[in-house]
Amino acid sequence: MLPEKTLTMITQRSIEEGIALEKGKHTKEYFDACSVIEMNELDMLRLSIEENSPVKVKSECGEVIVKAIVGIQELPEGICHIRQGVWANQIVPCRTYSTGVPQYSGFPVTVTPAPGSIVRGARELLFESVRM
């Protein structure tokens, strides 16, 4: 059985995501910028996750395969970050707490190594979510 850990997810805009978005959501730049989870190095070590390897991120409402990287920004243990976009939207809870805005940050996710899994592109994820 693969190790798993519950972490607190933060999704937010980033410079990398913004620059890539200007080129389009179906570009390699957008894929490279947004299909990653930034994690604390110790959390990655405890889960035996090597940098740039695929992981499954699962929340109460969905799951997604993304590539794990050591956080570009400082992330305390137990916190992870996916840049806002198609991949993050697969796991963001739809509850709004009467604000009209989904809960983009501060929700629990389970992260599990996913060796051999493929990180799907934005188009594939969007078409799959429409079929559901």
Side-chain angles (χ1 to χ4, degrees), residues 41-107:
E41 199 166 7
L42 292 174
D43 288 330
M44 289 176 69
L45 185 62
R46 287 187 183 102
L47 288 167
S48 300
I49 295 171
E50 293 182 26
E51 188 148 25
N52 295 312
S53 66
V55 296
K56 178 167 63 171
V57 182
K58 186 174 182 178
S59 73
E60 65 190 69
C61 62
E63 63 185 54
V64 68
I65 302 291
V66 290
K67 182 174 65 171
I69 62 172
V70 174
I72 293 170
Q73 58 191 336
E74 185 177 339
L75 289 168
E77 286 182 63
I79 303 290
C80 57
H81 171 245
I82 295 180
R83 298 166 185 158
Q84 283 187 353
V86 177
W87 293 266
N89 288 346
Q90 305 303 306
I91 59 167
V92 170
C94 55
R95 64 176 160 271
T96 66
Y97 296 110
S98 300
T99 66
V101 178
Q103 183 184 358
Y104 287 115
S105 295
F107 58 92

Side-chain angles (χ1 to χ4, degrees), residues 105-116:
S105 295
F107 58 92
V109 295
T110 302
V111 178
T112 310

